[in-house]
Every structure is written in structure tokens, then in C-alpha cells.
Amino acid sequence: MLNFDNHKLESIAIENFEKFNNAKPFSHLVIDDFLPLEEVNKIAHNFPEPNQIKWSAHGSGANADNEKFKGIKLQCQDESQFPESIKDLLQEFNSQSFLYFLKKLSGVEYIVGDPYYNGCGMHSTGNGGRLMVHADVNRYPYPALADQFLNCIFYVTPEWDAEWGRELELWDEKVKNCVKSITPKFNRLLIFKTDRKCFHGHPHPIKCPENKRRNSIAAYFYIPNKSLKTNSSQIQTIL
């Protein structure tokens, strides 16, 4: 069973605190070789194909999408369909040790995960797929309680040719320029801040063989809603 190395996580958080919080265009950190090779190979091998489970199909996130992009991006948040290795990984992302790691990395006092995996879980995009540049909406199941704060994306497609594309682009808050491009390298974990000014996407259609897909595992993290007055009667009303 997969268990994160707490000492390794703590060292990464301490060593990269300034780098993460001062990164441009917004806070982010790339961690290569995140898992032992044996574990990530197991995850990649077990990652479901489009016809193996019940996926949700999405377009590119654009306001108006050409039909050729419809349904190419697949997403599954149903834990009952996760292979055991992927279920273990997502549970570790929601563990106390990983939440403490995010707290130390960001300097934010209280961060929570989402064991419902609302909007996250497994993602898979095929040839021609793209994700237009956007800022995330709040996906917390009870949005009055918490605001989306961080995204973690773990890339699990081995032997991806750079010529096929799929770099995740981080844009400035005016959506004028791409400031950083991040290759979704195998066994790479990307952590980035996400709010209404954190624009990101991979807007250029992927050009890969039909038997290849851009596979990743995502977990989202939240902070308490700043506008919420936390007295018991209000929280009871929300719930």
C-alpha cells in the first residue's frame, strides 16, 4: 500500500517555501520523480482506458467549442471505479501528512482536501484534445464553506513525445501572456494556486497517436471561506 514519505515532504516544503510563494505568474511548484518508480509504473499500467470504465466526457472549457473537441477530455471522480493503486494515491493526497505538507509549503494555516473528488480524480485527454485558458470556479461540494486554493496534478503517461504537445500554460492575470509552460512529464507533480486570477490551460490541441492519451490524477484543496461567519447557527443552516 502506498504511503507518502513524510520526511521527504517536509524537506520539500521547507526548501521550496520561498520558491513556491514567489513564483510567477502565481504560486506554483514542480516536483519531479515524486513517487518511487515501482509505484508510478503500477499507476500508469492500471490507468483505465476510455472503454474500461464509465467516464464523464467534457469539451475543452471554451465558451464555444468546435465539435471535433467535444468529449475528448474524460474525467472520473467515482472512487468505486478507481484502480486500487490510484485510490491509494488519492487517499494519500487527502491525508493528514500531505495537508501538513501543503500548509508548510504555502504558509497558509488551514487547508482541507476533498474526499468527494468533486471535479478531480482521473483525467484523460486524447488526440485533438485541449483545455482552453481559464480560471477555476470553486468546486467545493459546499462552496459557502470553503474556497478553492490549490490544485495538485500528477502526470502518469510514460514515454510522451514532446512534439505531441500538452504543456500546461500559466498565464498572467490579464490573460495577455503565457508566462510559464510546464511539460506534463511522467512522475511529475505540479502544485499551483488557483483562484479567479490564476489562469491556466493547455489550449493547443494535442497531436498524438490514437493509442496514446494525456493521463493525469488531480486533487483539489480548499481554505475556509473568508466571508463565512462561523457561528453554529449559520453553519447548521448551510449544511
Side-chain angles (χ1 to χ4, degrees):
M1 184 174 179
L2 175 65
N3 289 291
F4 286 166
D5 184 333
N6 292 346
H7 296 296
K8 178 182 177 181
L9 288 177
E10 184 175 20
S11 295
I12 292 172
I14 293 171
E15 293 171 5
N16 291 280
F17 176 83
E18 295 290 341
K19 182 178 181 180
F20 173 80
N21 287 284
N22 294 325
K24 303 299 181 184
F26 44 82
S27 299
H28 68 273
L29 181 68
V30 173
I31 305 172
D32 285 331
D33 302 318
F34 180 68
L35 289 182
L37 194 56
E38 178 183 356
E39 295 292 344
V40 70
N41 281 335
K42 186 188 304 181
I43 289 168
H45 177 75
N46 293 333
F47 201 97
E49 297 290 338
N51 61 350
Q52 289 182 321
I53 65 170
K54 185 177 180 181
W55 295 88
S56 297
H58 301 271
S60 72
N63 290 329
D65 228 353
N66 185 298
E67 284 298 318
K68 70 178 287 189
F69 298 109
K70 291 289 187 183
I72 293 177
K73 178 184 176 183
L74 305 177
Q75 184 255 341
C76 178
Q77 63 191 46
D78 180 1
E79 187 181 72
S80 68
Q81 299 193 80
F82 296 164
E84 286 299 317
S85 56
I86 293 176
K87 184 187 295 185
D88 288 347
L89 177 61
L90 282 162
Q91 288 175 349
E92 282 297 286
F93 278 140
N94 280 276
S95 68
Q96 183 184 74
S97 59
F98 195 75
L99 295 176
Y100 274 134
F101 158 71
L102 294 178
K103 172 181 174 178
K104 289 184 178 180
L105 179 67
S106 65
V108 172
E109 180 61 26
Y110 189 74
I111 299 174
V112 296
D114 175 19
Y116 295 98
Y117 308 125
N118 194 41
C120 54
M122 299 184 297
H123 290 167
S124 182
T125 305
N127 181 48
R130 60 178 180 174
L131 179 64
M132 301 305 290
V133 176
H134 67 286
D136 284 354
V137 298
N138 185 9
R139 298 184 180 92
Y140 196 65
Y142 303 98
L145 290 176
D147 294 320
Q148 193 161 335
F149 176 56
L150 294 173
N151 285 6
C152 289
I153 303 177
F154 184 58
Y155 297 105
V156 295
T157 303
E159 300 177 355
W160 187 275
D161 192 320
E163 293 183 359
W164 298 340
R166 77 169 187 165
E167 291 81 7
L168 184 73
E169 298 180 358
L170 309 183
W171 285 60
D172 62 41
E173 64 180 60
K174 294 183 178 180
V175 204
K176 296 291 185 180
N177 299 291
C178 172
V179 178
K180 185 79 172 284
S181 292
I182 298 169
T183 301
K185 180 182 175 183
F186 182 61
N187 202 12
R188 167 173 282 179
L189 179 67
L190 169 63
I191 305 169
F192 62 97
K193 183 180 178 182
T194 178
D195 60 24
R196 298 305 295 161
K197 294 183 179 180
C198 296
F199 291 91
H200 59 282
H202 56 95
H204 306 292
I206 295 171
K207 299 177 181 178
C208 68
E210 292 298 329
N211 64 343
K212 281 284 186 179
R213 299 189 66 84
R214 182 189 192 274
N215 294 335
S216 61
I217 297 166
Y220 303 148
F221 300 89
Y222 302 84
I223 55 176
N225 189 308
K226 295 178 181 178
S227 64
L228 178 66
K229 296 179 180 178
T230 56
N231 64 60
S232 58
S233 60
Q234 285 180 306
I235 293 177
Q236 189 64 40
T237 300
I238 292 169
L239 297 179

